[in-house]
Amino acid sequence: MGTSNGGFSEGGLRALRDVLARHVESKRIPGLVALVSRGGRTHVEAIGTMRHDGGPPMRRDTIFRMASTSKPVTMAAVMILLDEQRLRMDEPVDPWLPELADRRVLKRPDGPLEDTVPARRPITVRDLLTSTFGLGVDFELLDSPIRAATFERLDYSVASGPAPDPDEWMRRLGELPLSYQPGERWQYDLSNEVLGVLVARVTGRPLETFLRERILDPLGMKDTAFHVPAGKIDRLPPLYGPDPQTGEFLVWDEAAGGRSSRPPAFQGAGGGLVSTVDDYHAYFRMLLNHGMHGSERILSRPAVELMTTNRLTPGQQAARDAMYGNIAHVAVGQGLHGGWGFGMAVRTRRVDYAPVGQFGWDGGTGTTAYADPANQLTGILLTQVGMSTPDSPRLIHDFWTTLYQAIDD
């Protein structure tokens, strides 16, 4: 087996570094920072440069745009409100989100927006937690009128410009019918954004303020926020979205003067965080420790169990499997985990090198973070290359495949 490194073999860690370095040397990934930890030992690799044409080297404290890898962290704010009974899972959200009261639902998910029936029941907190409230990214409805209308009103990705303030965003959402009845079908992303607004309204404070007080500060996550302040902006690389045809490094977002350099009007719980490998390590280690950080309890044990185990019914599960199965070739296997907890994927079957029970998620900016209770393992890999080409998904795939081979028992 060779010498052990507290849960990883030395040879395995060398192989991991070689794989990461090979992706950087290929000139498809300018730089990356990876953190792996197991059994109290932590190993970090920072390889390559901040810019595709050189510039400062990647460092352990480089700050990255987390994109959808934000979801597992922002979800903790909702779990605290459940722990404290300020929210109850099966109560309607109408008192806080009146924009979502009295919904209409499309007769056919791909049908015209006018062709609706009344919702059978109100949207509940549980519907938002499980990503089944009736709207979201649905890879089987990409050509539908509801997809176009949702995108036009609510999208604030790189192409669309920043989102309006939460009240205006909710007003726009309230103009749309649902594509499915509440609680019926798992659809991606939009529920997490709504949950961020819900937290702000229940607490009477901005999402970031509550998140900082109850999660970020207690865990020492000092570089995690919804923007990068001026004093740290030199630690943020540009975000690239390589041209799918030519591979040219197009800048999606600069650091100084870019979208992450100022506080957003809309603090997007679904994808708005910036962070570092050490901050995310603190968070995922807390989840592995059933909600404890040292001697301090951050989340209740049952809250962590709910977040990190599959919450989908067999029918919702089948629809999610079909949805992701049809785009597997694009995502290099991401999304084929099986289940979904609250704000993250949960592996319910063995499809690759990672075991059942592993939980976490990936981000469209080339980020990945998962923890694995069976092996007491955490892995985090952050890049500045968005998923406009298969380059960062391939890197992420190779990272996990190599990491699991490095386990030494």
Side-chain angles (χ1 to χ4, degrees), residues 6 37 50 54 59 78 101-102 114 122 192 234 278 300 304 314 368 375:
S37 88
M50 300 273 277
R59 301 189 338 198
V78 189
D102 306 317
E114 308 73 56
N192 291 91
D234 61 321
D278 282 295
S300 73
V304 174
T368 186
N375 291 294

Side-chain angles (χ1 to χ4, degrees), residues 353-372:
Y353 284 44
V356 168
Q358 186 206 42
F359 56 80
W361 197 227
D362 310 286
T365 46
T367 59
T368 186
Y370 288 82
D372 167 0

Side-chain angles (χ1 to χ4, degrees), residues 100-338:
L100 294 183
D102 306 317
R103 293 294 78 200
R104 306 288 301 179
V105 182
L106 294 176
K107 281 187 189 164
R108 292 203 349 259
D110 58 352
L113 299 183
E114 308 73 56
D115 199 10
T116 62
V117 296
R120 289 194 286 267
R121 61 165 177 80
I123 292 168
T124 64
V125 175
R126 186 185 299 271
D127 298 328
L128 291 173
L129 289 168
T130 53
S131 215
T132 61
F133 83 104
L135 280 174
V137 179
D138 192 320
F139 301 112
E140 292 179 7
L141 296 178
L142 292 181
D143 300 327
S144 63
I146 188 64
R147 166 67 178 157
T150 308
F151 192 79
E152 180 192 347
R153 281 175 178 73
L154 304 174
D155 183 74
Y156 58 95
S157 63
V158 182
S160 311
D165 67 81
D167 291 349
E168 169 61 15
W169 190 88
M170 285 302 303
R171 189 192 66 74
R172 294 181 190 179
L173 177 60
E175 292 176 345
L176 297 170
L178 303 179
S179 49
Y180 288 92
Q181 289 284 345
E184 191 178 331
R185 183 181 170 94
W186 185 91
Q187 294 175 293
Y188 184 54
D189 192 47
L190 210 51
S191 63
N192 291 91
E193 305 291 20
V194 178
L195 283 168
V197 180
L198 179 64
V199 168
R201 290 187 178 176
V202 171
T203 61
R205 297 146 75 195
L207 170 63
E208 184 168 16
T209 304
F210 184 69
L211 197 62
R212 170 143 287 115
E213 179 187 304
R214 302 301 301 273
I215 304 292
L216 305 179
D217 283 353
L219 287 170
M221 297 173 69
K222 58 186 186 300
D223 294 320
T224 304
F226 285 102
H227 84 288
V228 181
K232 298 180 180 180
I233 200 75
D234 61 321
R235 290 163 55 194
L236 180 76
L239 172 64
Y240 296 110
D243 183 297
Q245 269 62 56
T246 66
E248 179 194 356
F249 281 103
L250 306 175
V251 175
W252 273 355
D253 188 40
E254 262 305 346
R259 289 178 57 166
S260 296
S261 70
R262 52 189 174 270
F266 185 90
Q267 296 174 351
L273 291 180
V274 295
S275 193
T276 62
V277 288
D278 282 295
D279 279 12
Y280 258 64
H281 182 213
Y283 182 76
F284 275 85
R285 196 169 45 193
M286 177 272 291
L287 295 182
L288 282 181
N289 290 335
H290 313 289
M292 295 296 289
H293 177 66
S295 59
E296 187 178 0
R297 181 159 288 291
I298 307 290
L299 294 173
S300 73
R301 188 181 184 114
V304 174
E305 287 168 357
L306 282 167
M307 291 170 79
T308 60
T309 54
N310 187 30
R311 303 267 60 87
L312 301 183
T313 65
Q316 292 164 351
Q317 180 73 67
R320 181 172 188 264
D321 289 346
M323 204 190 292
Y324 272 95
N326 292 334
I327 60 156
H329 63 289
V330 182
V332 196
Q334 278 143 336
L336 297 179
H337 315 75

